[in-house]
Amino acid sequence: MSHTPGIRQAQKRKTRQALLDAALDLLAEQSLSSLGLREVTRAVGITPTAFYRHFRSTADLGVALVEEALGSLHTTITGALATTGDGDSEERIARTVDLIARHVRSYPAHVRFIARERHGGVQQVRDAISGQLALFAQEVSGELGRHRESVGWSDEDLLMLAGLYVDHMVMTASAFLDAEPGTEENVARVARRQMRLVTLGRRHWLD
């Protein structure tokens, strides 16, 4: 009997994750604003009333998906920051683009969800995405501030640059997702050129 609460909690977590997974599958073909609660519960095999034990609404479920999807992207951003090579070197640029491509192959549904809902019709979810990306930019800004290329930069300018890098990562991930088979290298080439343009501006910003 003493284990019953723990078993219940484990089952609750399992059902919650099943709802997230089902919603993500359904969102492959539609936006969150058109997703019906009954569609999700039917896919999981629970009653609509049981849904409310886990989420207040489909918008609340969408916010949880943002946390899950951008959690996986955060791992990629952290990996990109840790890539070898000094500052804005070609090696760092190439490895960053490669990490993004790998992320899309591993989490295509997450990338699709963020790309669609970032400017979608559910305000609560748009705000959650915006807030998470802003936190990422803060983290990237701190890392950029440790590069020798950033000597003399203000905190405001570093945050602006970090926002450009984060936006570029999200944009590149979307481009990889939409790429036709066999065209991934073209996407990577464009992404590397775009990043070079940003880094070129960085080198001459204080001029």
Side-chain angles (χ1 to χ4, degrees):
M1 292 292 291
S2 61
H3 295 292
T4 301
I7 293 172
R8 280 204 200 106
Q9 285 301 313
Q11 184 58 47
K12 186 175 181 180
R13 286 193 297 270
K14 183 178 178 181
T15 302
R16 185 180 190 276
Q17 188 59 51
L19 287 166
L20 290 169
D21 293 343
L24 201 58
D25 287 343
L26 291 165
L27 289 169
E29 303 297 335
Q30 62 183 307
S31 66
L32 183 65
S33 59
S34 65
L35 182 67
L37 181 153
R38 289 180 181 276
E39 286 182 88
V40 181
T41 55
R42 190 183 308 118
V44 176
I46 64 173
T47 64
T49 54
F51 175 91
Y52 295 106
R53 296 176 194 153
H54 306 276
F55 303 102
R56 295 185 298 273
S57 63
T58 54
D60 189 39
L61 180 147
V63 170
L65 279 175
V66 170
E67 293 169 359
E68 181 178 87
L70 288 182
S72 65
L73 180 61
H74 181 262
T75 302
T76 296
I77 290 176
T78 302
L81 293 176
T83 53
T84 58
D86 293 331
D88 298 325
S89 71
E90 288 295 315
E91 182 182 5
R92 180 182 286 272
I93 290 172
R95 283 175 61 85
T96 297
V97 173
D98 183 59
L99 279 171
I100 296 169
R102 216 176 308 160
H103 175 81
V104 174
R105 288 194 292 270
S106 299
Y107 303 98
H110 284 167
V111 174
R112 184 178 296 107
F113 172 73
I114 294 300
R116 179 179 288 154
E117 300 302 330
R118 189 179 184 186
H119 305 291
V122 181
Q123 181 72 47
Q124 192 176 341
V125 172
R126 291 202 309 271
D127 290 346
I129 294 172
S130 177
Q132 287 288 329
L133 294 181
L135 288 175
F136 291 172
Q138 287 280 1
E139 184 174 336
V140 173
S141 175
E143 177 63 26
L144 293 175
R146 289 189 278 274
H147 294 179
R148 63 172 180 264
E149 294 91 342
S150 300
V151 173
W153 280 60
S154 69
D155 290 343
E156 182 182 5
D157 286 349
L158 280 171
L159 185 58
M160 177 183 65
L161 177 64
L164 288 174
Y165 279 128
V166 171
D167 282 344
H168 182 264
M169 288 182 183
V170 174
M171 180 182 71
T172 299
S174 297
F176 275 120
L177 183 69
D178 293 337
E180 295 292 331
T183 65
E184 289 86 355
E185 179 51 37
N186 292 336
V187 173
R189 189 180 305 113
V190 170
R192 290 192 295 266
R193 291 180 67 187
Q194 290 169 335
M195 194 170 286
R196 286 190 202 106
L197 284 173
V198 174
T199 56
L200 181 64
R202 178 187 183 187
R203 288 169 190 161
H204 297 284
W205 181 247
L206 296 180
D207 296 346

